[in-house]
Amino acid sequence: MAFWKRPGYLQHSPKERFSLLLLDLEEYFFEHHIAHRIVKARDVSERKISGSLKICSKSLIFEPDSIEVPVFKIALRDCTKIEVAHDNDLFSRNACRLFYVAFNQVYLIKEQNIVTPYRIQRGADHILFQLEESKVDDVVQTVLQLQRASRLEKLGDQTAMIIAILQSRLARTSFDKNSFQSVSETSNMECEAEMVTPLVSNPGHVCITDKYLYFQPLNGYPKPVVYICLVDIRRIYKRRHMLMPVGLEVFCTENDLCSDIYLKFYNSKDRDGLYYYIAAYLENHVTEHTADSYMLQWQMGHISNYQYLLHLNNLADRSCNDLSQYPVFPWIIADYTSSDLDLTIPETFRNLSKPVGALNKDRLQQLLKRYRDMPDPKFIYGGHYSSPGYVLFYLARVAPEHMLCIQNGKFDHADRMFNSIAETWRNCLEGVTDFKELIPEFYGEDSSFLLNNLNLELGKRQGGKLVDDVEIPPWASDPEDFLQKNREALESQYVSDHLPDWIDLIFGCKQRGSEAVAANNVFHPVTYEGEIDLKSIEDPDQKIAMLTQILEFGQTPKQLFMKPHPKRIFTKPKCFSRSSSQNMSSVESPVSPSEDSFEDLTEESKTLAWSNITKFQVESGYKIHKEAITGIAASSNGSSVFTTSQDSTLKMFSTSQKALQRSVSFSNMALSSCVLLPGDTTVMCSSWDNNVYFYSIAFGRRQDTLMGHDDAVSKIHWCNNRLCTASWDSTVKVWSCVPADVCGTKRNSFELLAELEHDAGVNTINVSSDGSLLVSGTKEGTVSIWDIARSSMLHQLPCHNGPVHDVALSPDTRHVLSAGEDGCLKIIDVQTGMLISSLPSGEVQRCFCWNGHTVLSGNDTGELLVWDLIGGRILERIAGHADAVTCMWMNEPCNTLITGSVDRQLLFWKLQY
């Protein structure tokens, strides 16, 4: 049974909306109180909204009884005041005391009990709670103590204080023996532990008797006690949890995917003590299985390929309760385009002797080139084949709350969702860092993970198509048929013959060492067990950062076999029916582009342009400024080009007349960048005088001024009616900026939506096409990735030795590229925040354009450099300017380029196919 289908897994009442998934990762739920939210109207009348107040280690969550009202989540770090409140009128009537909370923002969740992305309500506000208990002072003191922890500057200090609070609570309580199922039971062992479910850890007390294993949650959620009869236990496994040997998983079934309970202990001694007690009990009831014993069963045909892989995953520490170590299954089928699936020919199947990253020969050669030039420790693949993000990529439709939990309250971008089987397979073959394998659900009988049965609003893809059910291959009539054919393929003769090759890569002799190198199966060192010694990391912040990185990035299974896996001796013959009697030799011609596929044609033109990117040639050049050019913007039809310069002027150049049309000066200080608003009526310019200027092209005058910073504005960016401004005052600010208002005749009052604090002056910024992510680079070489809607930092990395000159997100927003004073290009994975590649050039790169795979950059000597990111090499050097290239603009089809330089030249380039 899948983890999201376990009875009572998340909630025990159809109307209950609270679950531990509403908490942040690594957050604890401590206690709950029956409470009423007091709502006062303007006429001083009041009403009560009844519900439950949850006290958590980093937040307060109020769950109203009525599902019409959303769940309120208030982060403690956002609270401005927490105190016991006295209301004389209310006190006299109800003899109660109140709990007052003031805050800057609140998350609104699951209104009408519908799972949707969280809404954020910003602005100063407060809530008044009436608790039905008399000890309001104790509750407030608890919350204030937790708030102090959440506001500590260092994450390590925050974690240490919360753990200390947790341990104190556990020490003051013990297992309640009134929960025993029988009065004749004898307690053999008690200790403290946490029950682990995907993305959630719930602390409490463990007790084992001569008949039952018990877990009693400290908070009484989701029920007062969980218990398992020892007679029912079929399998137990020791687990490594967060790289430490403190996990224990118990199964009451032989072949079920999910366990009945997963416990994480605070020390290995308690874990081992409980394990050996259960193991001793099971000696008389259950035969213990090892990898070798399961291998023998498989060789003799006693268990299926699916069952064997499931057992190997369990033995290798893979668990459905730990998304960083979720069971991994292979891609089997390689044909997702035919109308009929032929399981009798090898061409239908994926090559199981190669890791996913090595299936594409061209991509592999580029990766190996980078690998050979890489200093130790070397790795071929910057990504992994299994991670929490990949698991929830597949399961978003059935575990949406898990996706919202790991994605900070929102679903992934529509174009990055699991939209199509064929598209996902193609990306695994061609993507720069996409090497993911499959999960067991692809070979199960429950097709719900392919269907949007919950009617989730998962977004709209480019082109306007809503994300709904996953598109299945043409050879499957429906999702059930797709899974059925997957199972047939997994149990086919071809897979039975070649499955040992894949086992060698994932669980066996080719997982590590020289065999792994020879098999092109080398991943980042932090993914392997034993490579990181957490005990040697003394700094608590570094330790937490390392754990977070490893857990998000994915972990390689425990190695089970040291020698090549033997072949199968007996294979149970199966009769596979063809889904269609259509002749496989009949191949349909490719579908011709329809009239409404203009977007596809645009993408094709971009692909063609980037494949010829080394063929840019200068068509013309003009020296229109007195000092270095700092910014370039062009009108939508290309007739006008706007440039800013350190000479403090904004210039307007006509491409048709090849002449300067306007020159505007706003102050006597340098202008640093410019942006042309949609409609081509207004140009925005940033200045070293701390301001942003709005110039009306139609009226030929300065329209408005935004005085938003305390130091020079270094870069501006506009997206989706939002203006983002970066400054040397160490902030990036996000403003409401509606083009229609800016272009009007009245001066505007710009609304500040967010202020993103940095530790150093910000040199450059870039925003994703959908306006959800912002990336920034500072004078001290740090690159930060921000969630704009939440004004929160997702990742921060010290990338460069010296200032960052340019940063940009890839078109699919999966990666960030940065260029710095140290002459390196750095590639960061957006999901994990991991630095996956560093490409040195030996010369400063000032600016660049890229398509996610190839980079066109401008260097300090005036050249344009074309980079192959996967191969990690420079493909071409194109002579251009006489001095450093400082800025560049590329049109939508990617066949026209304009560059500016310290040499004051504006060069126009054209791609020569």
Side-chain angles (χ1 to χ4, degrees), residues 355-366:
V356 169
L359 294 175
N360 183 328
K361 183 178 179 181
D362 293 337
R363 178 177 65 175
L364 177 63
Q365 291 306 313
Q366 294 172 329

PDB file of all heavy atoms in Angstrom, residues 355-366:
ATOM      1  N   PRO A 355      24.056   3.469 -16.571  1.00  0.00           N
ATOM      2  CA  PRO A 355      23.237   4.410 -15.798  1.00  0.00           C
ATOM      3  C   PRO A 355      22.498   5.350 -16.748  1.00  0.00           C
ATOM      4  O   PRO A 355      22.891   5.497 -17.914  1.00  0.00           O
ATOM      5  CB  PRO A 355      24.255   5.155 -14.934  1.00  0.00           C
ATOM      6  CG  PRO A 355      25.562   4.985 -15.630  1.00  0.00           C
ATOM      7  CD  PRO A 355      25.499   3.666 -16.340  1.00  0.00           C
ATOM      8  N   VAL A 356      21.458   5.985 -16.265  1.00  0.00           N
ATOM      9  CA  VAL A 356      20.657   6.860 -17.119  1.00  0.00           C
ATOM     10  C   VAL A 356      21.526   7.921 -17.788  1.00  0.00           C
ATOM     11  O   VAL A 356      21.352   8.241 -18.964  1.00  0.00           O
ATOM     12  CB  VAL A 356      19.533   7.534 -16.288  1.00  0.00           C
ATOM     13  CG1 VAL A 356      18.866   8.650 -17.075  1.00  0.00           C
ATOM     14  CG2 VAL A 356      18.494   6.489 -15.899  1.00  0.00           C
ATOM     15  N   GLY A 357      22.487   8.463 -17.035  1.00  0.00           N
ATOM     16  CA  GLY A 357      23.336   9.519 -17.571  1.00  0.00           C
ATOM     17  C   GLY A 357      24.228   9.086 -18.710  1.00  0.00           C
ATOM     18  O   GLY A 357      24.770   9.930 -19.436  1.00  0.00           O
ATOM     19  N   ALA A 358      24.399   7.768 -18.898  1.00  0.00           N
ATOM     20  CA  ALA A 358      25.276   7.260 -19.955  1.00  0.00           C
ATOM     21  C   ALA A 358      24.509   6.726 -21.150  1.00  0.00           C
ATOM     22  O   ALA A 358      25.109   6.211 -22.095  1.00  0.00           O
ATOM     23  CB  ALA A 358      26.183   6.154 -19.392  1.00  0.00           C
ATOM     24  N   LEU A 359      23.176   6.839 -21.136  1.00  0.00           N
ATOM     25  CA  LEU A 359      22.380   6.304 -22.240  1.00  0.00           C
ATOM     26  C   LEU A 359      22.499   7.150 -23.501  1.00  0.00           C
ATOM     27  O   LEU A 359      22.348   6.641 -24.609  1.00  0.00           O
ATOM     28  CB  LEU A 359      20.915   6.197 -21.815  1.00  0.00           C
ATOM     29  CG  LEU A 359      20.624   5.172 -20.706  1.00  0.00           C
ATOM     30  CD1 LEU A 359      19.169   5.239 -20.284  1.00  0.00           C
ATOM     31  CD2 LEU A 359      20.992   3.764 -21.165  1.00  0.00           C
ATOM     32  N   ASN A 360      22.743   8.441 -23.313  1.00  0.00           N
ATOM     33  CA  ASN A 360      22.942   9.347 -24.445  1.00  0.00           C
ATOM     34  C   ASN A 360      24.442   9.494 -24.669  1.00  0.00           C
ATOM     35  O   ASN A 360      25.143  10.107 -23.871  1.00  0.00           O
ATOM     36  CB  ASN A 360      22.293  10.699 -24.148  1.00  0.00           C
ATOM     37  CG  ASN A 360      22.399  11.666 -25.306  1.00  0.00           C
ATOM     38  OD1 ASN A 360      23.357  11.656 -26.078  1.00  0.00           O
ATOM     39  ND2 ASN A 360      21.413  12.542 -25.427  1.00  0.00           N
ATOM     40  N   LYS A 361      24.933   8.946 -25.769  1.00  0.00           N
ATOM     41  CA  LYS A 361      26.375   8.900 -26.025  1.00  0.00           C
ATOM     42  C   LYS A 361      26.986  10.290 -26.104  1.00  0.00           C
ATOM     43  O   LYS A 361      28.062  10.545 -25.536  1.00  0.00           O
ATOM     44  CB  LYS A 361      26.647   8.131 -27.318  1.00  0.00           C
ATOM     45  CG  LYS A 361      28.125   7.958 -27.632  1.00  0.00           C
ATOM     46  CD  LYS A 361      28.315   7.149 -28.908  1.00  0.00           C
ATOM     47  CE  LYS A 361      29.788   6.994 -29.246  1.00  0.00           C
ATOM     48  NZ  LYS A 361      29.985   6.223 -30.509  1.00  0.00           N
ATOM     49  N   ASP A 362      26.311  11.203 -26.796  1.00  0.00           N
ATOM     50  CA  ASP A 362      26.866  12.553 -26.956  1.00  0.00           C
ATOM     51  C   ASP A 362      26.943  13.277 -25.614  1.00  0.00           C
ATOM     52  O   ASP A 362      27.940  13.923 -25.296  1.00  0.00           O
ATOM     53  CB  ASP A 362      26.002  13.359 -27.929  1.00  0.00           C
ATOM     54  CG  ASP A 362      26.071  12.810 -29.345  1.00  0.00           C
ATOM     55  OD1 ASP A 362      27.070  12.130 -29.653  1.00  0.00           O
ATOM     56  OD2 ASP A 362      25.135  13.050 -30.128  1.00  0.00           O
ATOM     57  N   ARG A 363      25.878  13.163 -24.831  1.00  0.00           N
ATOM     58  CA  ARG A 363      25.895  13.813 -23.521  1.00  0.00           C
ATOM     59  C   ARG A 363      26.984  13.209 -22.639  1.00  0.00           C
ATOM     60  O   ARG A 363      27.694  13.925 -21.929  1.00  0.00           O
ATOM     61  CB  ARG A 363      24.529  13.678 -22.837  1.00  0.00           C
ATOM     62  CG  ARG A 363      24.489  14.299 -21.449  1.00  0.00           C
ATOM     63  CD  ARG A 363      23.114  14.217 -20.807  1.00  0.00           C
ATOM     64  NE  ARG A 363      22.688  12.850 -20.543  1.00  0.00           N
ATOM     65  CZ  ARG A 363      21.567  12.529 -19.896  1.00  0.00           C
ATOM     66  NH1 ARG A 363      20.757  13.491 -19.481  1.00  0.00           N
ATOM     67  NH2 ARG A 363      21.245  11.269 -19.691  1.00  0.00           N
ATOM     68  N   LEU A 364      27.127  11.897 -22.683  1.00  0.00           N
ATOM     69  CA  LEU A 364      28.135  11.230 -21.861  1.00  0.00           C
ATOM     70  C   LEU A 364      29.535  11.708 -22.214  1.00  0.00           C
ATOM     71  O   LEU A 364      30.365  11.954 -21.331  1.00  0.00           O
ATOM     72  CB  LEU A 364      28.033   9.717 -22.031  1.00  0.00           C
ATOM     73  CG  LEU A 364      29.097   8.910 -21.272  1.00  0.00           C
ATOM     74  CD1 LEU A 364      28.961   9.111 -19.768  1.00  0.00           C
ATOM     75  CD2 LEU A 364      28.990   7.425 -21.632  1.00  0.00           C
ATOM     76  N   GLN A 365      29.833  11.847 -23.500  1.00  0.00           N
ATOM     77  CA  GLN A 365      31.164  12.293 -23.903  1.00  0.00           C
ATOM     78  C   GLN A 365      31.475  13.682 -23.360  1.00  0.00           C
ATOM     79  O   GLN A 365      32.596  13.964 -22.933  1.00  0.00           O
ATOM     80  CB  GLN A 365      31.275  12.281 -25.432  1.00  0.00           C
ATOM     81  CG  GLN A 365      31.269  10.884 -26.039  1.00  0.00           C
ATOM     82  CD  GLN A 365      32.332   9.974 -25.425  1.00  0.00           C
ATOM     83  OE1 GLN A 365      33.498  10.360 -25.274  1.00  0.00           O
ATOM     84  NE2 GLN A 365      31.918   8.767 -25.055  1.00  0.00           N
ATOM     85  N   GLN A 366      30.490  14.550 -23.360  1.00  0.00           N
ATOM     86  CA  GLN A 366      30.699  15.893 -22.820  1.00  0.00           C
ATOM     87  C   GLN A 366      30.905  15.850 -21.308  1.00  0.00           C
ATOM     88  O   GLN A 366      31.746  16.568 -20.762  1.00  0.00           O
ATOM     89  CB  GLN A 366      29.499  16.775 -23.183  1.00  0.00           C
ATOM     90  CG  GLN A 366      29.382  17.020 -24.686  1.00  0.00           C
ATOM     91  CD  GLN A 366      28.096  17.730 -25.055  1.00  0.00           C
ATOM     92  OE1 GLN A 366      27.075  17.572 -24.408  1.00  0.00           O
ATOM     93  NE2 GLN A 366      28.145  18.523 -26.106  1.00  0.00           N
TER      94      GLN A 366
END
